[in-house]
């Protein structure tokens, strides 16, 4: 099942395929769909039929992941596959409280913590959009919660399909105390199992929606329209320019995204692979709340992801100085630019400096009276801890350890044993290194 924009079912990338079947949703009363029920029928479809690849396919199932970084790792594995790729998503959409961007809710997601515990939707286009045209399809069987459905139903399918060939359906949340069922996924699987040869994607989607009883209701049907440009330049000016002020010295560059870039490192220390490139900023098509600094953020992270780290750091430092001058060192604006600088250090491969800056962010937020359990505070300490794990220089590790231990004592985070892990590593570093 390649990235078939025409709906003919013809593949433009040959070879064995790769399918990622993801079913996700919050635990407890926040769950709106029995997403995991979609997987047994899909897993029973022969892999070659699932992707339309005579050479077979690898199929990976991911059920109720708790960490967006885990999902991102699987997306990157899929994106790196040389053959056709299918990503099937079953679950629910929500908006984060700060930027009002769509996220796929995961096991630990709550309305308050979606920004940290859910998967930003634009990460899909950021990772899969880099693949060759005609190689990738995303199939979605989703429910939108009360925060996501109103803007989504107004914006239409284009709000989710930018940068993707996307088939499927999005429905509003079911009545309280009821779970939606993945009827579209089940119908799709039944058609694939029964067909001697996989039908064209457009026809397969149409028949699956019909068999699932979709179409006459309020749901949105995602019809696999050709992806729009994911990173078209937005007509958004920096805040200073909008206010009639001159931009700070060094803050330059054209933009390629319509929303603020979201740091990739949304989770705490997991022991997974080391720092990775940040996902690209979200594409246009979803803008419930405009970000006045969208073009500035896009220019900064574009430079960083292109390897122009000094340029990106200079732009961020200039805007930070402007925030310090106009709003003060404890302002939300100044803390935000400190966070941006920390993430730029991560992208540049300087975990020690990234750790220092995230520690400074945590200290500033605590100094402003934010509680130790606030997601912003926990996120800053978790990111500092995560970066500290990748510092190779024993001297820098030892120098950072006391402050990290002190903050971990105040902000233990959600993962048991984090403070003890810092203490153990610090103690090991006090032992002189053995010489051969």
């Amino acid at each position: 099942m390649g990235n078939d924009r025409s709906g003919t079912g013809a593949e433009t990338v040959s070879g064995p395929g790769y399918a990622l079947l993801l079913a996700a949703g919050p635990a407890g009363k926040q769950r709106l769909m029995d997403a995991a029920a979609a997987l047994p029928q899909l897993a029973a479809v022969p892999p070659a039929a699932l992707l339309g690849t005579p050479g077979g396919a690898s199929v990976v199932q991911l059920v109720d992941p708790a960490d967006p970084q885990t999902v991102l790792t699987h997306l990157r594995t899929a994106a790196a596959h040389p053959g056709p790729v299918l990503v099937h998503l079953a679950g629910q959409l929500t908006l984060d409280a700060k930027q009002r961007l769509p996220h796929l809710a995961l096991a630990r997601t709550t309305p308050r913590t979606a920004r940290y515990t859910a998967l930003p939707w634009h990460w899909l286009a950021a990772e899969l959009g880099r693949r060759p045209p005609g190689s990738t399809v995303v199939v979605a069987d989703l429910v939108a919660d009360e925060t996501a459905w109103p803007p989504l139903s107004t914006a239409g399918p284009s709000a989710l399909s930018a940068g993707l060939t996307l088939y499927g359906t999005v429905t509003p949340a079911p009545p309280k105390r009821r779970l939606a069922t993945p009827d579209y996924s089940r119908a799709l699987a039944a058609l694939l199992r029964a067909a001697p040869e996989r039908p064209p994607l457009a026809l397969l989607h149409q028949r699956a929606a019909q068999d699932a009883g979709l179409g006459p209701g309020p749901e949105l049907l995602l019809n696999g329209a050709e992806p729009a440009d994911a990173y078209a330049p937005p007509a958004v000016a920096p805040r200073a320019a909008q206010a009639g002020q001159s931009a700070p010295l060094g803050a330059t560059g054209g933009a390629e995204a319509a929303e603020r870039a979201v740091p990739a490192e949304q989770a705490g220390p997991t022991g997974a692979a080391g720092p990775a490139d940040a996902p690209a900023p979200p594409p246009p098509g979803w803008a419930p709340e405009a970000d006045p600094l969208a073009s500035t953020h896009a220019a900064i992270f574009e430079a960083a992801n292109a390897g122009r780290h000094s340029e990106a750091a200079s732009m961020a430092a200039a805007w930070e100085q402007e925030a310090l001058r106009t709003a003060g060192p404890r302002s939300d604006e100044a803390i935000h630019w400190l966070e941006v600088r920390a993430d730029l250090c991560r992208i540049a491969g300087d975990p020690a400096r990234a750790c220092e800056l995230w520690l400074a962010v945590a200290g500033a937020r605590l100094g402003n009276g934010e509680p130790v359990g606030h997601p912003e505070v926990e996120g800053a300490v978790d990111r500092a801890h995560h970066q500290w794990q990748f510092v190779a220089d024993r001297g820098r590790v030892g120098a950072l350890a006391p402050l990290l231990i002190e903050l971990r004592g105040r902000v233990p985070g959600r993962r048991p044993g984090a403070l003890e892990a810092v203490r153990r590593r610090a103690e090991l570093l006090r032992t002189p290194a053995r010489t051969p």
Side-chain angles (χ1 to χ4, degrees), residues 185-217:
S185 298
R186 289 169 170 170
L188 186 76
L191 289 169
L192 286 170
R193 289 198 307 271
E197 183 176 315
R198 183 178 59 79
L201 297 179
L203 178 60
L204 184 63
H205 162 71
Q206 183 181 15
R207 291 184 58 187
Q210 182 179 358
D211 290 354
L214 302 170

Side-chain angles (χ1 to χ4, degrees), residues 240-336:
Q242 290 181 338
Q245 307 169 7
S246 59
L249 182 65
T252 60
E256 291 188 357
E259 298 288 344
R260 175 176 300 174
V262 179
E265 208 174 285
Q266 298 289 354
T270 62
D277 292 339
W286 186 288
E289 292 187 6
D291 178 4
L293 284 174
S295 59
T296 301
H297 288 98
I300 290 171
F301 281 93
E302 177 192 4
N305 288 320
R308 304 194 307 273
H309 301 298
S310 295
E311 177 186 340
S314 296
M315 287 192 284
W319 281 98
E320 182 185 26
Q321 289 302 312
E322 180 72 4
L324 291 170
R325 183 180 68 81
T326 59
R330 289 195 170 186
S331 64
D332 289 342
E333 293 85 350
I335 293 174
H336 165 70

